């Protein structure tokens, strides 16, 4: 499990502009696309899954976790996060508006389990506010790197 | 009123069964451990969950509504990070089933 986290692509970007929730998902996926961890069809699949299943990916106030399926175009286990310049609404009854958007991709049904467990643990320990407080890409990247260490 | 199954079979559900339900599984496991309840918690997608038997189903309200009455305990949550709220909801539901004092 530790090996998975060491090899995972983790990318963070601060203060990104987004017009709406779809745009925000594309912004969150952009670093993964640049790094070659996902293919160019993947971000649109992330959007389509929300259209299909509802805004359940907004899993806490202000926080969304976008993803699609392994077969939708994932080359490498990866997580990205962006903070948004202006929050967007996903249409969630309780957790809008959203200003912190994660995107992840897993090459199969299991590889992401350790990484997301670690992410959940860090979020429960206050990771979201530390990400929000980061002023630039270098600072937010340092905060996200904490996720490699299982809490 | 009934005896609480041991271990309790718990499903956390979301649209795809990979992301939100997995995060929720972490919270549910922590809360059940705190409550001293032995459980097997599995994260899955809504359509798979329709064909599964469980004692407890936890998910976002928009996904759990359809499961009302299909498991003894169905809990809809909106914030996976609100462990106190989850603990309260599970405790009340377990008490209603006679599974907890």
């Amino acid at each position: 499990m530790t090996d998975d986290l060491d090899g995972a692509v983790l990318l963070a970007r601060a203060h990104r502009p987004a017009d709406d929730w779809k745009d925000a998902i594309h912004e969150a996926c952009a670093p993964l696309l640049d790094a070659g961890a996902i293919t160019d069809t993947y971000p649109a699949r992330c959007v389509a899954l929300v259209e299909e299943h509802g805004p359940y990916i907004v899993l806490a106030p202000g926080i969304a976790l976008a993803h699609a399926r392994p077969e939708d175009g994932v080359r490498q286990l990866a997580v990205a996060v962006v903070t948004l310049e202006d929050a967007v609404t996903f249409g969630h009854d309780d957790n809008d508006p959203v200003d912190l958007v994660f995107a992840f991709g897993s090459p199969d049904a299991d590889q992401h389990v350790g990484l997301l467990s670690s992410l959940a643990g860090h979020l429960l320990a206050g990771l979201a506010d530390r990400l929000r407080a980061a002023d630039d890409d270098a600072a937010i990247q340092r905060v996200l790197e904490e996720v490699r260490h299982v809490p | 009123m009934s005896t609480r199954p041991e271990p309790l079979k718990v499903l956390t559900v979301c649209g795809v069964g990979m992301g939100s339900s997995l995060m929720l599984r972490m919270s549910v496991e922590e809360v059940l451990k705190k409550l001293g309840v032995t459980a097997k918690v599995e994260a899955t997608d809504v359509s798979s969950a329709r064909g599964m038997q469980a004692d407890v189903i936890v998910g976002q309200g928009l996904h759990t509504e359809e499961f009302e009455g299909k498991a003894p305990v169905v809990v809809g949550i909106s914030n996976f990070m609100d462990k106190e709220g989850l603990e309260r909801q599970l405790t009340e539901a377990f008490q209603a089933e006679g599974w907890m004092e």
Side-chain angles (χ1 to χ4, degrees):
Chain A
M1 202 174 273
T2 307
D3 292 342
D4 287 344
L5 301 200
D6 286 346
V9 174
L10 298 184
L11 293 165
R13 303 279 184 267
H15 301 305
R16 284 301 190 267
D19 294 332
D20 54 29
W21 68 267
K22 294 180 187 179
D23 205 21
I25 287 178
H26 282 278
E27 279 296 325
C29 287
L32 302 182
L33 204 51
D34 292 346
I38 56 172
T39 65
D40 57 8
T41 54
Y42 193 78
R45 287 298 302 148
C46 294
V47 170
L49 284 173
V50 175
E51 289 175 329
E52 196 178 326
H53 296 287
Y56 72 92
I57 67 161
V58 188
L59 38 81
I63 306 173
L65 177 69
H67 68 94
R69 295 185 171 93
E71 61 269 28
D72 291 323
V74 182
R75 295 200 181 99
Q76 202 177 348
L77 177 64
V79 171
V81 66
V82 293
T83 50
L84 300 178
E85 197 70 63
D86 297 299
V88 299
T89 56
F90 276 73
H92 192 285
D93 286 344
D94 302 305
N95 295 339
D96 277 336
V98 170
D99 64 345
L100 190 63
V101 183
F102 291 88
F104 82 88
S106 179
D108 62 39
D110 301 312
Q111 282 191 42
H112 64 297
V113 174
L115 185 56
L116 282 202
S117 303
S118 179
L119 179 59
H122 283 283
L123 283 171
L124 290 167
L127 179 74
D129 286 338
R130 290 201 299 283
L131 291 167
R132 287 177 173 123
D135 280 333
D136 56 31
D137 289 352
I140 196 171
Q141 181 70 34
R142 280 194 299 275
V143 178
L144 183 65
E145 290 288 339
E146 294 173 20
V147 172
R148 288 195 201 278
H149 307 283
V150 177
Chain B
M1 291 294 168
S2 58
T3 310
R4 189 179 77 224
E6 290 254 3
L8 206 58
K9 183 164 186 207
V10 184
L11 295 179
T12 57
V13 300
C14 74
V16 176
M18 285 184 70
S20 306
S21 56
L22 193 60
M23 307 290 261
L24 190 52
R25 190 182 93 192
M26 306 304 155
S27 306
V28 169
E29 282 175 340
E30 275 194 37
V31 168
L32 290 177
K33 193 174 169 191
K34 189 182 169 199
L35 292 174
V37 173
T38 312
K40 185 178 179 304
V41 188
E42 189 181 344
T44 190
D45 64 286
V46 169
S47 46
S48 301
R50 287 184 190 123
M52 295 165 83
Q53 291 286 328
D55 303 308
V56 180
I57 295 175
V58 186
Q60 292 237 354
L62 68 119
H63 286 148
T64 52
E65 276 170 23
E66 67 167 284
F67 292 102
E68 293 294 341
K70 299 206 175 138
V73 169
V74 179
V75 172
I77 59 104
S78 58
N79 177 3
F80 96 104
M81 286 163 65
D82 178 15
K83 281 190 288 184
E84 286 174 12
L86 181 60
E87 181 180 339
R88 192 169 53 243
Q89 282 177 285
L90 286 173
T91 302
E92 284 170 9
F94 289 174
Q95 285 169 341
E97 282 298 312
W99 291 352
M100 274 179 83
E101 297 275 307

